[in-house]
Amino acid sequence: MLRDITLGQYYPTDSHVHEMDPRTKLFGTLIYIIALFLFNNVLGWLVVTGFLILAIHTCKVPLSYMVKGLKAIVMLLLIAAAFNLFLTSGTPIFTIGPLSISDVGLRNAGLMTIRMIYLIVGTSIMTLTTTPNQLTDGLERSLHFLNRVHIPVHEIAMMMSIALRFIPILIEETDKIMKAQMARGADFESGGIIKRAKAMVPLLVPLFVSAFRRANDLALAMEARCYHGGEGRTKMKPLQYHGVDRVGYLVIFIFLVLVIASRIVYPMLMGLIGV
Amino acid sequence: MSIKLENVTYQYSPDTAYAITALDHVNLELRDGEFIGIIGHTGSGKSTLVQHLNGLLKATEGVIYYNGQNIYDKDYDLKDLRTQVGMVFQYPEHQLFETTVFEDVKFGPKNQGLDDKEATLRAYEALEKVHFPTDYFDQSPFDLSGGQKRRAAIAGVLAMKPAVLILDEPTAGLDPKGRDEILDMIAEMHKKSGNTVILVSHSMEDVANYVDRIIVMNDARVAFDGAPKEVFRHYKELETMGLAAPEVTYIMQELQAAGFPVSVDATTIQEAKEEILKVFR
């Protein structure tokens, strides 16, 4: 039932991308997203596609896992593409009744669809190869400088990792309570909206009670271990860069340079051909 | 009136990196009126097994028959099955939600489509059965003690008058006194009603004194199935499964090994006492 939902979707396997420091991956993802919105011609598209294929290939995660995320945005993609197609002004290519498709619209719709798909697939590589804990660890270290302006980075990171940790627990709990109430004849599936909303009460009340109980227990357990926030706190596994990270940063840097170069070289090439 | 499992296999998260086989081709027949103990180490598949009996989990492979009818048939009424095969989950008190104990117990009968009067009657009867103190009927279930919460929750299932009652670790987290009270109550109910009762536990000690049949689960399979005496004869194998026979079994085995003419089949302290006294008479 609910157990089948993958949220923290880490895919455990042995690859160079998995070995990388979370900071490298965060930085790489950031550059990748920037690059997605930087490229504006075929050359840039080739560079981005090349980088994506390289990442997919090295992370050893089956492609089907990355494509899964696309299912959720299919509707969004279609609607956005339709708006871009029909509502962009420009030289019309062909018209169907009141609707007309312009050359600019076609280009925009295409670019936007590619960007969205690449965004989902590319960022899912990061979440598939990094455990939620590593991710918050990486964020905490990367944003450490914000401490200077009195933003409690460690506390926020701690809250994030606790929240992430609790998602599967609460899903499991929901599953259990649902089953228990179903065993008492509860029906969560049939009836109108009001009946269904009412049917949620026997599920939500115990769920909230249990969430508060767990939160209480955790707070107590943390205090009993003398937790008092980030100041002076050391790590059992401090983040450290290795050889693979150096290669990673190099690849990311070359990728960024190529994308920027594509914007400059493409018009020059076009000029040479004489278009 | 029986439940029959044929080649039942169940996998959690099939076709993913986390796939786990929790049941592996299980064949069982649970006859009417039996008092059965299902025992196994954590993760042996015992909870998964009982969740199949009322159709909460659907077997990946295999068939289950309730009174001769295949419960996976398209037109089979699973909701009706769940009222006939009552199930008390682990830590049932975590499922209480109503404003008063009484209302909470009425939840099941109401779902069965009974009118308020009948539901009230059923709730009253069920709370009596679990020896729930009358003074607390109108209390909020969240204000009760652990043992009382559990009684209220068990009453919530009993109020539906199931023909088969399944209890998943009904004594988990209770003190020894609370544990004995709950188990005595269950045994008493079984005696009075003659219904099938299935008790899931990881503790032999709990189960040995009460049930007439023990099913031992190990690694998603049925390892042993029989009367307590027969099962405890395999106490050495039980140990390799992370289980243990009741302490009485060990004492009797050692007494016999030391040359005393006692029977090793004694499973309860009472039986052991009789056996040992026989030697001295």
Side-chain angles (χ1 to χ4, degrees):
Chain A
M1 255 194 290
L2 280 168
R3 206 183 287 263
D4 300 333
I5 299 171
T6 46
L7 251 163
Q9 42 177 342
Y10 182 65
Y11 182 91
T13 181
D14 196 22
S15 82
H16 289 310
V17 182
H18 282 75
E19 277 169 37
M20 265 182 210
D21 189 286
R23 284 170 292 175
T24 318
K25 283 185 267 189
L26 276 168
F27 181 72
T29 311
L30 186 71
I31 294 299
Y32 172 75
I33 293 170
I34 293 171
L36 273 186
F37 290 92
L38 266 181
F39 87 84
N40 60 355
N41 54 49
V42 181
L43 223 54
W45 176 72
L46 283 176
V47 175
V48 174
T49 311
F51 181 72
L52 188 61
I53 290 172
L54 178 75
I56 291 172
H57 185 74
T58 27
C59 78
K60 289 187 189 164
V61 179
L63 191 64
S64 59
Y65 277 80
M66 296 165 204
V67 182
K68 246 187 223 165
L70 286 177
K71 272 189 215 149
I73 62 151
V74 166
M75 274 321 278
L76 183 75
L77 264 181
L78 285 178
I79 293 170
F83 269 100
N84 268 311
L85 262 184
F86 296 117
L87 298 177
T88 317
S89 51
T91 341
I93 301 175
F94 60 91
T95 45
I96 322 156
L99 299 169
S100 75
I101 294 172
S102 71
D103 56 346
V104 187
L106 196 65
R107 190 188 137 88
N108 280 358
L111 263 180
M112 201 232 30
T113 315
I114 290 173
R115 280 181 179 148
M116 294 274 264
I117 293 174
Y118 278 27
L119 189 71
I120 297 288
V121 174
T123 47
S124 70
I125 292 178
M126 184 179 70
T127 47
L128 282 165
T129 59
T130 322
T131 62
N133 268 338
Q134 283 179 324
L135 213 58
T136 41
D137 244 21
L139 272 177
E140 189 185 338
R141 274 296 287 274
S142 309
L143 300 178
H144 196 68
F145 65 92
L146 287 176
N147 255 341
R148 297 230 183 95
V149 285
H150 297 292
I151 292 174
V153 178
H154 169 79
E155 279 72 12
I156 293 171
M158 181 56 100
M159 281 194 269
M160 258 177 70
S161 38
I162 291 174
L164 286 171
R165 181 67 193 83
F166 265 56
I167 289 169
I169 292 179
L170 287 179
I171 287 179
E172 209 169 290
E173 190 87 17
T174 313
D175 191 44
K176 241 171 66 187
I177 296 169
M178 241 171 129
K179 275 185 189 159
Q181 304 296 29
M182 275 162 81
R184 291 168 74 188
D187 187 353
F188 295 107
E189 275 131 26
S190 62
I193 292 180
I194 295 173
K195 201 184 156 215
R196 274 199 209 193
K198 265 190 172 167
M200 293 306 273
V201 173
L203 174 65
L204 290 179
V205 173
L207 190 63
F208 271 100
V209 172
S210 118
F212 281 120
R213 190 185 53 238
R214 281 178 195 283
N216 226 345
D217 288 353
L218 181 67
L220 201 66
M222 283 169 83
E223 272 205 287
R225 289 166 175 77
C226 300
Y227 178 79
H228 60 86
E231 217 166 300
R233 194 174 162 78
T234 54
K235 290 223 178 280
M236 190 171 139
K237 289 179 189 162
L239 292 178
Q240 230 167 2
Y241 284 127
H242 297 285
V244 69
D245 295 299
R246 249 162 269 152
V247 179
Y249 273 115
L250 190 69
V251 172
I252 294 162
F253 182 70
I254 294 171
F255 166 65
L256 185 65
V257 169
L258 283 178
V259 170
I260 294 170
S262 81
R263 283 180 71 111
I264 303 161
V265 173
Y266 187 73
M268 279 159 58
L269 270 178
M270 284 292 122
L272 275 180
I273 307 167
V275 181
Chain B
M1 299 280 268
S2 70
I3 304 175
K4 208 171 157 190
L5 288 84
E6 274 180 17
N7 269 324
V8 171
T9 298
Y10 186 79
Q11 268 196 334
Y12 283 107
S13 333
D15 308 321
T16 67
Y18 302 102
I20 298 165
T21 305
L23 288 179
D24 191 359
H25 296 94
V26 171
N27 287 293
L28 273 178
E29 193 179 353
L30 311 173
R31 286 170 295 270
D32 206 23
E34 278 186 316
F35 194 169
I36 302 170
I38 297 182
I39 299 194
H41 199 248
T42 317
S44 58
K46 54 191 194 303
S47 290
T48 311
L49 173 68
V50 290
Q51 285 179 33
H52 278 82
L53 303 181
N54 64 353
L56 281 173
L57 290 178
K58 191 179 182 306
T60 325
E61 213 182 291
V63 193
I64 297 173
Y65 296 97
Y66 179 70
N67 293 340
Q69 272 181 298
N70 183 348
I71 68 164
Y72 297 138
D73 272 347
K74 261 200 180 139
D75 50 351
Y76 193 85
D77 187 357
L78 276 177
K79 221 181 142 186
D80 183 56
L81 174 73
R82 282 176 200 144
T83 68
Q84 294 195 47
V85 182
M87 167 123 186
V88 179
F89 273 80
Q90 247 178 74
Y91 296 101
E93 59 270 29
H94 292 178
Q95 283 103 54
L96 299 170
F97 68 98
E98 273 287 4
T99 43
T100 69
V101 172
F102 206 69
E103 283 301 315
D104 204 281
V105 178
K106 272 163 75 178
F107 179 67
K110 272 186 176 164
N111 284 331
Q112 280 176 296
L114 299 173
D115 59 34
D116 199 58
K117 207 175 140 195
E118 183 73 8
T120 309
L121 211 69
R122 289 273 193 97
Y124 192 82
E125 214 178 312
L127 283 166
E128 286 275 87
K129 256 190 215 165
V130 298
H131 308 302
F132 192 83
T134 329
D135 304 354
Y136 297 153
F137 277 17
D138 287 323
Q139 286 250 339
S140 160
F142 299 107
D143 293 340
L144 301 172
S145 73
Q148 279 164 346
K149 272 188 194 169
R150 187 152 305 177
R151 276 163 200 267
I154 294 175
V157 174
L158 288 180
M160 299 169 76
K161 292 210 171 164
V164 178
L165 181 65
I166 304 168
L167 300 114
D168 193 353
E169 303 260 7
T171 59
L174 292 184
D175 53 31
K177 186 165 163 275
R179 188 190 69 195
D180 290 347
E181 279 174 7
I182 293 270
L183 288 173
D184 284 341
M185 179 196 91
I186 295 165
E188 184 193 317
M189 268 178 348
H190 171 70
K191 230 187 204 166
K192 274 191 191 155
S193 65
N195 284 348
T196 313
V197 176
I198 299 168
L199 196 64
V200 180
S201 177
H202 62 261
S203 157
M204 284 288 184
E205 219 85 30
D206 268 13
V207 169
N209 296 338
Y210 298 95
V211 302
D212 21 79
R213 177 178 169 195
I214 289 181
I215 296 168
V216 179
M217 294 292 295
N218 187 42
D219 264 346
R221 289 164 198 268
V222 176
F224 299 110
D225 180 1
K229 293 187 214 309
E230 296 165 33
V231 172
F232 294 150
R233 265 182 222 139
H234 303 281
Y235 70 104
K236 289 235 166 77
E237 283 118 300
L238 288 175
E239 275 175 17
T240 63
M241 296 172 190
L243 295 167
E247 277 171 18
V248 169
T249 307
Y250 289 94
I251 294 173
M252 300 314 264
Q253 291 280 1
E254 279 187 25
L255 281 175
Q256 200 188 42
F260 292 100
V262 291
S263 155
V264 292
D265 284 344
T267 53
T268 64
I269 294 177
Q270 194 60 34
E271 284 170 16
K273 189 182 96 182
E274 297 297 324
E275 277 296 322
I276 294 169
L277 281 177
K278 250 192 242 164
V279 178
F280 293 106
R281 268 186 202 134

